[in-house]
Amino acid sequence: MNMEFKVFYDEEFDSLHFYKSGEKSKYSIKAFDNIIIDMNFENKTVGIEIHNASKVLNVSKNELKNIKEAKLRNIMQGLNLGVAYELKLSKSIIESQVMMPQSKMSR
C-alpha cells in the first residue's frame, strides 16, 4: 500500500517532520536526543521528527527545504522494533533506520 507522506521543514529551528497523511498519532517516543517517533493506536510508526536535522542528516538546510519524497516502514529485528526511512532530495537520497527495544515502543 502506497501512503502519501507530508513533509515539513522549519529552517529557523532546523526541525524536519514527516508523517503519513491521514494517520493520527497516539503518542511519541524520544528515540534519541534529536529523533522523536510518532506512533499510532496500533503501535506502528506514522511519523518522525528530527531536530537539528541538517547536522543529524549531514545535509544543507537548503536541501531540506526541497525534499521531493519521504517514505517510512516499520521493521522488526529480534526483540527490537524500529523504523526505516528514506528521503529523496534534489541531489541525493538519504536512507537510515532507528532501532530500539520493543519495551520502549509499547504503551
Side-chain angles (χ1 to χ4, degrees), residues 38-54:
D38 298 325
M39 307 297 289
N40 69 8
F41 291 86
E42 298 164 352
N43 294 324
K44 301 288 184 190
T45 304
V46 294
I48 294 180
E49 186 171 343
I50 303 174
H51 299 194
N52 299 312
S54 63

Side-chain angles (χ1 to χ4, degrees), residues 3-52:
M3 178 76 66
E4 183 179 340
F5 287 84
K6 301 289 184 181
V7 179
F8 176 74
Y9 177 65
D10 184 325
E11 185 176 13
E12 180 181 355
F13 294 102
D14 195 17
S15 179
L16 174 67
H17 188 208
F18 54 101
Y19 56 95
K20 291 181 181 178
S21 180
E23 288 276 346
K24 293 186 179 186
S25 175
K26 179 182 178 187
Y27 61 95
S28 298
I29 299 168
K30 186 175 183 178
F32 298 99
D33 284 341
N34 293 314
I35 299 177
I36 298 169
I37 299 174
D38 298 325
M39 307 297 289
N40 69 8
F41 291 86
E42 298 164 352
N43 294 324
K44 301 288 184 190
T45 304
V46 294
I48 294 180
E49 186 171 343
I50 303 174
H51 299 194
N52 299 312

Side-chain angles (χ1 to χ4, degrees), residues 39-95:
M39 307 297 289
N40 69 8
F41 291 86
E42 298 164 352
N43 294 324
K44 301 288 184 190
T45 304
V46 294
I48 294 180
E49 186 171 343
I50 303 174
H51 299 194
N52 299 312
S54 63
K55 292 178 182 140
V56 171
L57 300 173
N58 195 27
V59 65
S60 74
K61 290 182 178 184
N62 193 48
E63 281 284 301
L64 291 172
K65 290 190 302 186
N66 297 301
I67 293 175
K68 306 295 183 199
E69 185 179 346
K71 295 180 183 178
L72 286 175
R73 71 176 170 82
N74 291 288
I75 51 178
M76 187 166 172
Q77 293 178 340
L79 296 176
N80 296 318
L81 293 175
V83 60
Y85 63 89
E86 178 182 298
L87 300 170
K88 289 188 180 180
L89 309 173
S90 60
K91 298 178 182 178
S92 63
I93 295 175
I94 297 172
E95 295 178 300

